[in-house]
Amino acid sequence: MRSPVSQSISTPSVSIVVVSYGSSDFLPECLASLFENVAQFPAAKVALVENHPDEAPRRATEKAIAPYLVKGLRYLPAPSNLGYGGAANYGWQQLGRAMINIVLNPDMRFPVGWLAAFLVPFERDRSIGIVGCKLLHRDGTIQHAGGVLRYGLALAEHFGYGEPDDGRWNESCAVDFVTGAALGLRGALLGKLGGFNPAYFPGYYEDVDLSWRARLAGWKIWYEAGAVAYHFEGGTFGRDLNYYRFLHRNRLRFVLQNFSTAMVLEQFVPAERLRLQGTLAEPDRQASALVYRAAARSFLEHLSSSQEKPGLKSNPTPKTNSRPKSLFWRYNPALENVEQQELALTERLVQTTQEVKAGWLVEEKPFRSALPFVAAFRQRFNSISTRWYVKPILAQQVEYNAAVSRAIEDLSTLALGSGASANLQNAALAARLLALETRLERIESLLEKLTDTTSPIIQNDSKNEPTQNNPEALG
């Protein structure tokens, strides 16, 4: 494997892109602290890309960043919502070539000295291609201290999440990935990989995918503990049903794009089925079911449409000079919303489960009266009657309610989990069939060239065909 290109950054040129999506409330604090750091690096360029397509959020952003335009900030309204990775690529392209390219979330604050510490690993070790930093919640607990990718599930986990910043995560080291909330990319690597894959729209897993590709190319992914910033997580995306939909959609995209067939079928599918059978937040479980159902239908529908066509020739062969597309480009997000009635039924089932679980225990209500003598007499009478007659009935009712609660909970788990698992299995198998289909298309294209007598390949080969008039070709 070729070693990474050596690149000196003793006087670094740095391009910093802040990606906003109607994030005007966070921008004053973010930009104020960022420009305090940038002041130490005269060659640094800073841009803000606004992804929100509506006029009102854009005007709010323009108002929030106005004080920093005179300090050199470039305002780059995106031509459309490019997603987080696409907006980073767009910003870096507009700023021009740089030795180090950094992308940042807008809901952040950077203590003085953060940028200087962030750039140190690039200078110290020329094999480091991507750098991330320690991120803290507003209360000072750890949010990110480098990341690890759990093989099988392909879940991206943050080291130290929720733990106190007590020194346990002060050792810089190589990691599987670093979060895109604050990510630095060496210019040489940006030129080789082309930046983020914009297909990971609107966000999530674009940082994992970039780190994965960088490591395959021989570069290190580095967590720099000496660079510390604050990230007010949730300022850009909330953790609702849509959050989990985008997360699992892009996680599945990452798996199908980067895992081998054996890894998908023997590791990912079994591990994910176990995850779906476990204890999950309901938005997480619902989103998984929606994504896997849409994936299964998308891929199977594509296979069905391909089989209806007369041969594979109707499917154009991908151009060799373009970036190879993941099979996931055939995924149709609209299919996530095909069966709204089914989703509504699922939500009602979850709500019913919560209601039954909350009220399964029947309890005796205390008797209250304004007359103390009456209240005491009634309470004593209730105690005798409850002990002799009512308590056995209540015990039977409690047992019955508990059984109903467990039955509804099991039904809810079955409806949400098993369906998602089956769709996951279908999606994985369909994706592998699509991979075979793509290979067949390429083989067929090659065979057409080989059998075409006008093909330059055949013409060149025919000159060397052994004949009686060309005895040298026989040798």
Side-chain angles (χ1 to χ4, degrees):
M1 182 180 298
R2 183 182 298 178
S3 61
V5 178
S6 176
Q7 187 177 33
S8 174
I9 60 166
S10 55
T11 55
S13 59
V14 183
S15 291
I16 303 175
V17 174
V18 179
V19 178
S20 169
Y21 186 82
S23 310
S24 56
D25 291 343
F26 296 95
L27 292 178
E29 182 176 15
C30 173
L31 295 177
S33 60
L34 179 59
F35 272 90
E36 287 181 348
N37 282 269
V38 170
Q40 304 176 44
F41 299 89
K45 295 174 288 186
V46 184
L48 184 134
V49 177
E50 178 54 70
N51 257 336
H52 207 294
D54 295 342
E55 187 64 27
R58 292 200 174 201
R59 286 199 300 267
T61 293
E62 293 169 4
K63 181 178 179 180
I65 67 174
Y68 302 96
L69 296 177
V70 297
K71 296 184 178 181
L73 176 68
R74 287 190 60 183
Y75 177 52
L76 301 174
S80 61
N81 184 4
L82 303 174
Y84 189 75
N89 294 344
Y90 175 72
W92 290 333
Q93 183 181 22
Q94 296 300 312
L95 289 178
R97 296 181 59 181
M99 293 181 179
I100 307 299
N101 302 270
I102 299 173
V103 61
L104 302 171
N105 270 194
D107 52 338
M108 300 187 70
R109 176 166 59 85
F110 308 95
V112 174
W114 165 81
L115 182 57
F118 191 86
L119 296 174
V120 166
F122 288 111
E123 174 67 16
R124 184 180 62 244
D125 187 346
R126 309 301 168 83
S127 67
I128 291 176
I130 295 178
V131 171
C133 64
K134 180 192 291 185
L135 296 182
L136 304 178
H137 292 286
R138 193 182 291 272
D139 63 3
T141 57
I142 299 288
Q143 180 185 120
H144 177 80
V148 60
L149 189 66
R150 286 178 57 187
Y151 286 96
L153 280 175
L155 281 174
E157 297 184 349
H158 303 276
F159 286 125
Y161 189 89
E163 297 181 8
D165 185 22
D166 56 7
R168 283 177 287 176
W169 301 101
N170 285 353
E171 181 179 353
S172 303
C173 59
V175 292
D176 285 349
F177 77 95
V178 292
T179 177
L183 181 147
L185 179 66
R186 194 181 290 271
L189 183 56
L190 175 61
K192 182 173 183 178
L193 298 183
F196 292 105
N197 184 344
Y200 290 88
F201 181 92
Y204 311 116
Y205 273 79
E206 74 284 347
D207 45 11
V208 177
D209 173 77
L210 181 64
S211 298
W212 177 281
R213 289 186 288 127
R215 287 194 292 122
L216 288 180
W219 298 81
K220 293 179 184 176
I221 315 301
W222 193 259
Y223 159 65
E224 180 52 50
V228 182
Y230 290 85
H231 181 210
F232 312 129
E233 189 178 31
T236 305
F237 300 108
R239 295 207 167 189
D240 55 5
L241 179 63
N242 282 331
Y243 162 81
Y244 285 106
R245 286 172 65 180
F246 294 134
L247 178 72
H248 292 309
R249 183 193 300 171
N250 284 344
R251 181 165 69 101
L252 183 59
R253 181 190 301 274
F254 172 80
V255 167
L256 296 181
Q257 179 169 313
N258 295 293
F259 281 16
S260 66
T261 299
M263 290 175 66
V264 171
L265 298 181
E266 298 174 10
Q267 298 181 30
F268 175 69
V269 171
E272 184 67 1
R273 293 185 69 176
L274 288 176
R275 187 186 76 88
L276 292 169
Q277 294 169 8
T279 302
L280 297 175
E282 290 306 328
D284 187 350
R285 193 186 302 278
Q286 292 179 33
S288 299
L290 292 173
V291 166
Y292 293 142
R293 181 177 62 198
R297 291 180 177 177
S298 298
F299 300 156
L300 291 172
E301 285 180 5
H302 179 81
L303 284 173
S304 299
S305 63
S306 298
Q307 292 173 358
E308 293 173 359
K309 297 176 182 179
L312 293 173
K313 294 181 181 179
S314 57
N315 295 327
T317 304
K319 296 180 180 180
T320 57
N321 60 349
S322 61
R323 171 183 286 186
K325 289 184 177 180
S326 163
L327 295 170
F328 212 75
W329 71 274
R330 297 180 175 97
Y331 181 90
N332 182 7
L335 292 178
E336 294 176 5
N337 303 315
V338 165
E339 298 180 3
Q340 289 294 340
Q341 292 181 351
E342 180 180 328
L343 178 58
L345 177 62
T346 297
E347 292 176 346
R348 287 200 301 272
L349 186 60
V350 172
Q351 182 178 2
T352 303
T353 301
Q354 295 172 344
E355 291 175 355
V356 174
K357 290 182 69 176
W360 71 273
L361 181 61
V362 180
E363 296 179 322
E364 180 185 358
K365 302 298 182 182
F367 177 79
R368 292 183 173 84
S369 174
L371 302 175
F373 172 75
V374 175
F377 175 78
R378 181 63 181 271
Q379 188 172 3
R380 182 178 293 271
F381 176 79
N382 286 350
S383 175
I384 296 173
S385 62
T386 299
R387 187 181 310 115
W388 289 349
Y389 180 73
V390 179
K391 267 194 172 180
I393 298 177
L394 291 178
Q396 295 179 38
Q397 185 66 48
V398 167
E399 291 177 0
Y400 175 77
N401 290 353
V404 172
S405 175
R406 289 193 298 270
I408 295 180
E409 186 174 20
D410 290 343
L411 179 60
S412 175
T413 302
L414 179 65
L416 292 172
S418 299
S421 297
N423 285 323
L424 169 62
Q425 183 79 28
N426 291 336
L429 291 173
R432 297 305 101 185
L433 289 174
L434 287 176
L436 177 61
E437 178 191 44
T438 301
R439 290 183 181 180
L440 290 175
E441 290 175 2
R442 293 174 179 172
I443 293 173
E444 183 185 57
S445 176
L446 180 58
L447 288 175
E448 288 180 354
K449 292 181 180 179
L450 291 175
T451 56
D452 185 358
T453 57
T454 63
S455 172
I457 299 177
I458 300 298
Q459 292 177 355
N460 292 335
D461 289 346
S462 63
K463 295 179 181 179
N464 298 323
E465 184 178 353
T467 64
Q468 293 180 351
N469 296 329
N470 186 14
E472 294 183 359
L474 294 169

